[in-house]
Structure formats: structure tokens, C-alpha cells
Amino acid sequence: MYPHFPHEIPLTAKEFFTRLRVRIRVLWRKVLPPPDRERRAEVQLQLREASEPDFDYFVLVLLSCTIATFGLLIDSAATIIGAMLVAPLMSPILGLGLASIRGDTTLLRDAAIALFRGAVFAVLLAVFITWTNARLPLISLQEFAMEVRPRTRPSPIDLGVAVAGGLAATFALVQPNLSAALPGVAIATALMPPLCTIGIGIALGDWEVATGATLLFITNAVTIAASAIALFFAMGFAPRRKEGDGLLPRSLLISAALTLLLLAPLGYQSYQFVQQAQRTQLINEVVREEIGKIEDVELVSVDSVQNGEVLEIEITIRTVQALNYDDSVALREAIDVQLQQPVELSINQVFAARLDPRIPPSQTPTAILSVTPTLTNTSTPTPTRTGTPTATATATYTATPAYLELTNTFGQNGVYLRQFPNGPSIGFLTLGEPLRQLSGYLIVDGWVWIQVMDDSGRVGWLPQFYTSLVTLTPTVSP
């Protein structure tokens, strides 16, 4: 006979989740022991005091925003990181997280006011600094610096950085043997530079920059607060749970929902950025492939802009011999076929001479001579039967130095005449000015220099590609 065992009574859903929560809590306590009651009280008191916007708080916002704004304007990552060492934005954002998990309305109000006032003050200060710089100007702003552009296109990667920064700062704040200063720098890096970027965009009237930086700031603030709520809950800062409460507190669910909601615009912007990057890469590869088919031509840069259905491409090449019109048309058609869309192509040519280290440049003067025919009419009357004289013309040819004209100035009014190649200037030659080429011919730093004389009798040097050979036509003098 086998012993009889009564059938096990099945658990209800409520009992199942209750047991699951208890087991998870016991396992988590073994992995990460929670701080004691005294330490939790110290953390709450510290955040409560630091979340009140006093005079010291605004002084630190003033200093950190000034340093960060100048760091963005001069494109200095080291300066921006230095500004984060004095930024006081860690305490209000962590105060929001602790107040949400504990239901402390007073702390929540104080932390929200401190963060809002600090953010508005930082934006206004960045607007004033940028506006002042534009009026003086102290720093030339031809285009936005490289440190500004990444803060105008938020992506899910920025959200991940904010999550890691919030967890690091919260963990360092709770643990008494760790310093919260360095994780605070990570939080300030995610908050203060976007605020300064908003001010820069507003001051320069670029609302796309201001909007992108605003989205980045909101994303970082919500994500850091959500990660702080999650870690505060995991380390035992939540109040005692009542019977019937869910597995997770309501504030944590709300913050998680807001974080997931922010993934929609971030994901869309990331998708657009990836599509644009792939398109730019394809354009660069096609242009590089077609330029590689042309002999003695090197691609320097490619810039492309989509204007409606037409793709406008501007390329800069370095060449030994200038491309002609037919070459440019053939290049445009080849790129058009590869990209399968209408293309408008403009080519900037930089001329250079090819050097071979095995062959030293010749220092022997080279004279370039041209034959200029000079026709002289000598009329000799010859009596004829009708009495009408006839004239016979005799042509005399004289060899003279080559005549040049200053034509290739690339949009400038002229070029300088140098005492010697790369030497001091001795005069200024205007566009279209006639010149006489003398016997001097040198190659210096890859440039072909020739010796010329202008109409004033000044003898100097200039690069050969600035000039064009003038072909003289024979004239008949009676």
C-alpha cells in the first residue's frame, strides 16, 4: 500500500505574485544589502537641503553655465567637462526621484522648482553670452561647433547615457563609502550642455538647434529621474507597502511610461539620421569611384544638399591638368546614372604640380618663345600698260618672349607679384593684366612658378596657373 498524499491546493494570482515578490526581494537583498535606517535618513535630509534653490545654487549655475557656453562656442570638450565640476543640477533631479518613490510632496515641489529655475536661468545666461559674442565678436562663429551639433539630434544612445548616469549618481549617493561628485559630473554633462545649446540656438535664431536641444534636455531629465526612482526603490527607500499594493509602485510605473514615450521621437530622429548618413555615404562612394577613373585627379571633399528632387553636389579636386567642360558633363552624367536621380554638379579645381623625389627640379632657366609674325607692306609702283600701280606685301617674322594674361584668379580681383617664389610681394596684378614671361622657371612646394614682367617694368614671380598664353594675330601695317 502506498501512502496517500492530499492534492496540493492551487494558488490564486494574488498569492502567486505575493510569493514572487517576496522571493525576488530576498534574492535582491543577498546581492545588494540595503542601507540601514540612519543612512536612509541622511540621504533624505541631504537631498531635502540641496533641493532648495538658495543663493549658492544660483551662483554655481551661473559659473557652470558660463564655462559650458564658452566651451561650446570654442568647441572645447575639456572646457565643457570642467564646467560640469561646479554644476549643481544633480541634487534637484535626484530629489525628484526620491520624492516620487516616497510620495513626499514638499520635496517634490522644492526639487521641481529648483530644477526649473536653474534651467531657465542657464538658458537666459547662454542667450546673453552668445548675443554679446555675436555683437563684439569675441569668437568668430562661421558655423556651429562640433560640440553643439550632437546636442541637437538626440538619439536612444543619449537615453542610455542618461540611464547609466542616473543609476551611477544614485548608487554613489546612497553608499557612504563612495563619492557622489564624479557621478554628479555625468548627470551635469547630460543636463547643462543641452541648456546652453538651447540658449545658443535662440540667440542665433536657429530654432531647429533650440528645439533639438530642448528635446535632449527633457529626455535626460525624465530618464535620470526614472533611473533614480528605480534604484531608490530597489535599495529600500520606498515606504512600507500596504495590503493590495501592486508589485511596483505607481510612481515608478509612471516614470517608466514617460521614458518609453520619449523613445518615439528619439527613434524617429535616429531613423532619419541613419538614413541621411547612409545616403551621404553612398554619394561619397559614387563620387570617389567616378573621380578615380580620371587620371591625375584626387578628390579632396564632397558636399551634397537635397533641393527638392535635384541633388546639388559640390566637389573639390586636386589636379595636375584642369578639367574641361566635356569632362565635367561626363562626370555629372556618370554620377546621375549611379544615383538614379537628377544631379547638379559644381567642381572646384585646385591645381598642383607632380613631384618625383628621384628627379630633382631643374634650376636651368627655360625660355618659352613664340613666333610673332610682323607684316610690313612695301609698295612699289610698277608701271603697266594701263598705267595703274600695284602694291606687293613682304612679311617679316621676329621671335619675341611669350605674352601672358592674368585670367585664373578664382573669384579674386588679382594676385600678388612676388620678389621670388613664396617671397615678399612687390606689387599687385589685376585681373586681365598683360604680362611678358621671362626665362625664370622653378618648382617650389609643388607649385610651378614663372618669372614675368608687367607693363610697369616690374619683374617678379607668380604661379603659372594664374596665367593664360595670349596668341598674337598678325597685323598688316600699310
Side-chain angles (χ1 to χ4, degrees):
M1 296 294 296
Y2 294 97
H4 175 71
F5 295 97
H7 294 287
E8 185 177 355
I9 300 175
L11 298 176
T12 63
K14 180 179 180 181
E15 292 174 343
F16 173 77
F17 283 111
T18 301
R19 291 188 180 186
L20 179 62
R21 183 175 61 190
V22 172
R23 291 182 180 180
I24 292 177
R25 182 180 301 174
V26 172
L27 180 60
W28 179 256
R29 293 294 179 261
K30 292 181 180 180
V31 176
L32 183 64
D36 53 20
R37 182 176 299 179
E38 289 76 10
R39 180 56 187 171
R40 292 199 297 268
E42 290 178 6
V43 171
Q44 296 178 40
L45 180 61
Q46 180 180 352
L47 288 181
R48 189 179 299 276
E49 294 177 351
S51 297
E52 296 179 357
D54 53 3
F55 178 77
D56 296 339
Y57 174 80
F58 288 105
V59 168
L60 293 179
V61 170
L62 170 67
L63 297 177
S64 61
C65 179
T66 302
I67 300 173
T69 303
F70 279 117
L72 290 171
L73 293 178
I74 66 176
D75 199 15
S76 173
T79 305
I80 298 173
I81 295 174
M84 302 307 99
L85 297 176
V86 294
L89 298 178
M90 179 189 71
S91 298
I93 201 75
L94 296 184
L96 288 174
L98 183 59
S100 300
I101 198 66
R102 293 192 60 83
D104 191 339
T105 56
T106 302
L107 178 59
L108 181 65
R109 183 188 66 249
D110 293 342
I113 292 176
L115 182 62
F116 177 77
R117 290 182 178 178
V120 172
F121 182 59
V123 170
L124 295 178
L125 182 60
V127 170
F128 174 74
I129 293 176
T130 308
W131 182 85
T132 304
N133 173 76
R135 295 301 182 274
L136 292 180
L138 299 175
I139 304 168
S140 178
L141 291 178
Q142 300 295 334
E143 59 182 9
F144 286 108
M146 294 299 296
E147 290 293 332
V148 174
R149 286 298 181 186
R151 293 174 173 88
T152 62
R153 300 189 185 100
S155 66
I157 296 179
D158 298 301
L159 189 143
V161 172
V163 169
L167 292 176
T170 305
F171 184 77
L173 179 66
V174 173
Q175 297 297 329
N177 57 339
L178 297 178
S179 173
L182 294 182
V185 173
I187 285 186
T189 304
L191 295 179
M192 185 59 75
L195 291 174
C196 299
T197 305
I198 295 173
I200 293 175
I202 294 175
L204 298 180
D206 195 327
W207 297 106
E208 182 180 358
V209 171
T211 303
T214 302
L215 179 59
L216 177 60
F217 171 75
I218 295 175
T219 300
N220 290 339
V222 173
T223 306
I224 292 172
S227 59
I229 292 173
L231 195 55
F232 278 133
F233 170 74
M235 300 189 73
F237 280 83
R240 290 186 177 274
R241 307 184 61 78
K242 300 178 181 179
E243 190 69 22
D245 290 343
L247 183 62
L248 297 175
R250 184 179 179 183
S251 59
L252 181 57
L253 295 177
I254 294 176
S255 61
L258 290 176
T259 303
L260 293 177
L261 185 62
L262 288 171
L263 281 176
L266 295 181
Y268 177 72
Q269 286 202 1
S270 298
Y271 174 77
Q272 286 188 323
F273 179 75
V274 171
Q275 291 292 324
Q276 181 64 31
Q278 292 177 347
R279 183 64 176 170
T280 302
Q281 183 179 5
L282 175 61
I283 294 172
N284 293 342
E285 290 178 355
V286 169
V287 173
R288 188 178 297 107
E289 178 183 354
E290 297 300 329
I291 291 295
K293 298 178 182 178
I294 306 176
E295 187 177 358
D296 294 333
V297 175
E298 178 184 356
L299 181 63
V300 178
S301 65
V302 181
D303 294 321
S304 59
V305 176
Q306 187 70 40
N307 188 4
E309 297 182 355
V310 179
L311 178 63
E312 299 179 356
I313 301 178
E314 181 180 358
I315 65 174
T316 302
I317 60 174
R318 186 179 294 109
T319 177
V320 177
Q321 185 176 2
L323 302 183
N324 54 32
Y325 175 75
D326 294 335
D327 295 332
S328 65
V329 172
L331 181 61
R332 181 185 61 80
E333 293 178 351
I335 296 175
D336 194 341
V337 172
Q338 289 271 21
L339 297 179
Q340 298 182 357
Q341 74 170 107
V343 173
E344 291 294 336
L345 180 66
S346 58
I347 305 175
N348 300 321
Q349 303 187 70
V350 179
F351 300 97
R354 185 178 300 278
L355 296 177
D356 191 343
R358 298 169 298 179
I359 304 176
S362 175
Q363 302 294 335
T364 305
T366 303
I368 303 178
L369 301 179
S370 64
V371 178
T372 305
T374 304
L375 297 181
T376 306
N377 258 342
T378 56
S379 298
T380 305
T382 304
T384 59
R385 293 182 181 180
T386 58
T388 303
T390 60
T392 59
T394 304
T396 305
Y397 295 88
T398 306
T400 61
Y403 288 91
L404 307 175
E405 185 178 0
L406 193 65
T407 56
N408 305 321
T409 58
F410 301 97
Q412 304 296 325
N413 294 328
V415 296
Y416 287 100
L417 184 66
R418 305 287 178 177
Q419 185 176 357
F420 51 85
N422 288 334
S425 63
I426 59 176
F428 187 78
L429 304 177
T430 58
L431 182 64
E433 184 170 345
L435 302 169
R436 294 181 62 188
Q437 181 176 352
L438 304 181
S439 60
Y441 178 91
L442 293 175
I443 299 178
V444 179
D445 295 335
W447 298 89
V448 179
W449 293 76
I450 57 174
Q451 190 180 29
V452 297
M453 177 188 294
D454 63 359
D455 286 344
S456 302
R458 296 177 299 187
V459 177
W461 296 76
L462 81 162
Q464 186 180 24
F465 69 85
Y466 284 126
T467 63
S468 298
L469 184 66
V470 177
T471 303
L472 300 179
T473 57
T475 57
V476 179
S477 57

